Amino acid sequence: MDAWRRLGSFLGSHMAFVSPTCVVLGVLFPDQLSVLKPAVTALFAFMTFQSSLSNTFANLARTVRHPAPMLATLAIASVAMPCVACALGTLLFGSDPNLVCGLVLEYSVPVAVVAAMWINMHGGDPSLGLATILVSTVAAPFSIPLTLHLLLGQTVEVDAARMMGEMVVSIALPALLGTAANDLSHGRAARELSPVIAPAAKIALVLVILTNSTGVAPYVRSLTPTLVAVAAFVCVFAASGYAVGLLVARAWHRPAGQQVTMTYLCGMRNISAGAVIAGEYFPGEVMFPVVIGTLFQQVLAATYGSVLQRLGREDASLEGASSEGVSSDDAPSDAGTRN
């Protein structure tokens, strides 16, 4: 059991190395690794379940009663970023409307389910994370067509029933089961079960990164200067999503857990959903800006995990220094004692 937990700890602390390695392997060996695709939904469900074991229905109710962080996150992820992507995409790649469409679609899709795993791994707020992912996914069949129509004049009818079904299997049911297990066991699930299956959840994350990376292999092998520029833009813009979430949370003086959560919710997208929509409703060129995000999303998630850990240590040391200063000021001086 100790070796099993050490494996989970190793994966968690080395994701900044593991993630890019998985992406490279997925690009190099797409045929061999794509056999895992049928298991992706089950892997997502398992990761959601494990992440939910630290949650309670009381925390979910708190998130609903105080929705400001969730609404701010959704405003950044689902409103601001598609608009900025459209403006910058038109400025840089306006001569090719398909590429602009792909960029807007990439940032119109819902928040990634896998964000819950990263949030849990770095001590975020699981209630805020799960609630925002649920709302984002439920709204997607209506928000995606609306966004594409308003920004690009495109008319798309998303299969709402299929998207809802996938959401129920990969998010809603596992989240409810995990939360119920924790509540019914009076916290034992969080204390005892979650640490036991956490290494398996990290392995599931690795398998998801490997599998999703296979989809971008054909595009990487046929890059043109324009597509390289699009890939560079997607990388920088994706990184800015994480950064904006973090900066807004810190400027707002949100608790550390909410800072972690808003960082990942603003940075991560359900690229698989975007790829399905691009493949069904648009020319092939639209697919590239959507799927190329697979190369960067998990690597950036690992990078920002390191940033969040460093910020957490710095904040803790500042709080410690502040506490010591207050204690010193409040203590009576030697001269005062003698007098």
Side-chain angles (χ1 to χ4, degrees), residues 97-124:
N98 286 331
L99 291 177
V100 178
C101 180
L103 291 171
V104 175
L105 178 59
E106 163 75 353
Y107 293 98
S108 301
V109 297
V111 175
V113 178
V114 75
M117 182 70 194
W118 287 99
I119 290 166
N120 188 62
M121 197 184 306
H122 291 285

Side-chain angles (χ1 to χ4, degrees), residues 44-46 48-49 52 167-179:
F44 274 132
F46 177 70
T48 305
F49 173 76
S52 303
M167 181 205 72
V168 168
V169 173
S170 61
I171 309 174
L173 284 179
L176 290 173
L177 287 173
T179 304

Side-chain angles (χ1 to χ4, degrees), residues 195-218:
V196 172
I197 66 174
K202 292 182 176 69
I203 292 172
L205 175 60
V206 169
L207 294 177
V208 166
I209 298 172
L210 283 169
T211 306
N212 286 343
S213 299
T214 63
V216 80

